Amino acid sequence: MIEVKGLCKKFGKVTVLDELNITINKGDKMVLVGPSGCGKSTFLRCLNQLEAPDGGEIWFDGQLVNGRGTDINALRRRMGMVFQHFNLFPHLTVKQNITLAPVLQKLKTQAEADEQAMQLLERIGLADKANAYPNTLSGGQKQRIAIVRALAMDPEVLLFDEPTSALDPEMVGEVLQLMKELAASGMTMVVVTHEMGFAREVANRVVFINEGKVQEDEPPAEFFNHPKNPRLRDFLSKVL
């Protein structure tokens, strides 16, 4: 589904992504791990062009994402993003947050978007919050709403940028449960997270990024039980 070839990104003189190569297949549940500052979030943001790469190619379903003539808005509709800090609009109700993009992009009428929003809220047990404002919600509720907002665009792949790191520990479980349900439904997911239990349980591939490159890419059992890369062994000894 996504082919990344020689991806480079610098911030000033600092090289964050150094000719990174990776393939993401349809249906993959890929978890990206690595030390802070290793380029995981930057990699995600390059996939949907929130960051412009300095070199390399990103192909999505046969289309060059970072090509000159690419309609990036059309591409982003197919590649949903869930952020660490929710990014809900504070002046809009929960339902308005969910329906805004599908209606603005003329993918659905307001009535269709409203109906879908209520179905999604029912699915996550928050239908009673449809007319509430984000500042009245817990962190876990906000993040579940943010995930549902991404789903409202009917994306083909969902990108998660540390979706639980801003949450209190007791709220992490409700967000991970929703992500597990999405994974079970067949959604293609690329997840940057420190939740190693989630990586073991849900991922079909765990990818270790370090010094701007993919240094290990294995199924969870192999990744955690038989790490080959010395830096990965050191990393796992600190986080497990």
Side-chain angles (χ1 to χ4, degrees), residues 199-218:
R200 280 183 191 271
E201 187 181 343
V202 178
N204 69 315
R205 292 167 67 187
V206 187
V207 175
F208 180 63
I209 294 181
N210 186 46
E211 297 179 339
K213 296 181 186 290
V214 172
Q215 295 192 346
E216 199 132 346
D217 178 355
E218 297 286 353

Side-chain angles (χ1 to χ4, degrees), residues 157-216:
V157 58
L158 272 181
L159 311 176
F160 292 85
D161 188 8
E162 300 197 24
T164 59
S165 62
L167 301 178
D168 293 334
E170 70 266 26
M171 294 174 184
V172 169
E174 61 194 53
V175 173
L176 292 181
Q177 183 56 41
L178 175 56
M179 292 171 65
K180 288 174 188 175
E181 290 167 15
L182 287 175
S185 75
M187 173 65 74
T188 305
M189 299 164 64
V190 185
V191 184
V192 172
T193 186
H194 299 291
E195 300 289 337
M196 296 299 157
F198 177 84
R200 280 183 191 271
E201 187 181 343
V202 178
N204 69 315
R205 292 167 67 187
V206 187
V207 175
F208 180 63
I209 294 181
N210 186 46
E211 297 179 339
K213 296 181 186 290
V214 172
Q215 295 192 346
E216 199 132 346

Side-chain angles (χ1 to χ4, degrees), residues 38-58:
C38 71
K40 306 181 298 291
S41 293
T42 301
F43 168 70
L44 277 196
R45 294 171 70 85
C46 285
L47 289 183
N48 64 3
Q49 298 295 282
L50 290 175
E51 295 284 358
D54 295 315
E57 296 179 345
I58 302 167

Side-chain angles (χ1 to χ4, degrees), residues 5-237:
K5 302 176 181 177
L7 185 63
C8 297
K9 179 66 184 177
K10 292 184 178 182
F11 292 107
K13 293 181 178 176
V14 178
T15 299
V16 181
L17 298 174
D18 186 12
E19 298 200 11
L20 184 147
N21 299 294
I22 199 163
T23 300
I24 301 163
N25 303 305
K26 187 175 175 62
D28 267 350
K29 318 289 176 272
M30 180 184 287
V31 170
L32 305 176
V33 303
S36 294
C38 71
K40 306 181 298 291
S41 293
T42 301
F43 168 70
L44 277 196
R45 294 171 70 85
C46 285
L47 289 183
N48 64 3
Q49 298 295 282
L50 290 175
E51 295 284 358
D54 295 315
E57 296 179 345
I58 302 167
W59 293 85
F60 178 48
D61 205 16
Q63 183 179 15
L64 184 60
V65 170
N66 53 328
R68 278 221 173 120
T70 300
D71 180 349
I72 197 61
N73 288 325
L75 190 123
R76 283 185 186 141
R77 288 199 287 268
R78 302 169 61 196
M79 204 184 287
M81 181 98 173
V82 179
F83 299 90
Q84 181 176 350
H85 293 291
F86 327 128
N87 291 15
L88 298 174
F89 294 110
H91 62 291
L92 299 180
T93 66
V94 163
K95 186 162 75 169
Q96 288 168 335
N97 264 284
I98 296 168
T99 61
L100 181 68
V103 173
L104 276 181
Q105 295 283 327
K106 296 184 168 55
L107 301 179
K108 294 181 173 74
T109 66
Q110 186 67 57
E112 289 168 342
D114 285 345
E115 183 181 352
Q116 182 198 33
M118 291 311 299
Q119 288 171 350
L120 289 168
L121 287 170
E122 288 277 359
R123 177 174 166 186
I124 63 168
L126 291 175
D128 60 323
K129 302 293 185 186
N131 296 313
Y133 286 88
N135 66 353
T136 66
L137 305 176
S138 72
Q141 289 171 332
K142 286 178 189 173
Q143 193 58 292
R144 282 148 66 203
I145 299 296
I147 293 171
V148 158
R149 179 179 59 177
L151 287 175
M153 296 295 285
D154 301 320
E156 293 161 48
V157 58
L158 272 181
L159 311 176
F160 292 85
D161 188 8
E162 300 197 24
T164 59
S165 62
L167 301 178
D168 293 334
E170 70 266 26
M171 294 174 184
V172 169
E174 61 194 53
V175 173
L176 292 181
Q177 183 56 41
L178 175 56
M179 292 171 65
K180 288 174 188 175
E181 290 167 15
L182 287 175
S185 75
M187 173 65 74
T188 305
M189 299 164 64
V190 185
V191 184
V192 172
T193 186
H194 299 291
E195 300 289 337
M196 296 299 157
F198 177 84
R200 280 183 191 271
E201 187 181 343
V202 178
N204 69 315
R205 292 167 67 187
V206 187
V207 175
F208 180 63
I209 294 181
N210 186 46
E211 297 179 339
K213 296 181 186 290
V214 172
Q215 295 192 346
E216 199 132 346
D217 178 355
E218 297 286 353
E222 185 68 19
F223 185 92
F224 289 108
N225 298 331
H226 307 289
K228 299 174 188 67
N229 185 284
R231 181 68 183 90
L232 173 57
R233 288 199 291 271
D234 179 55
F235 175 78
L236 291 176
S237 74

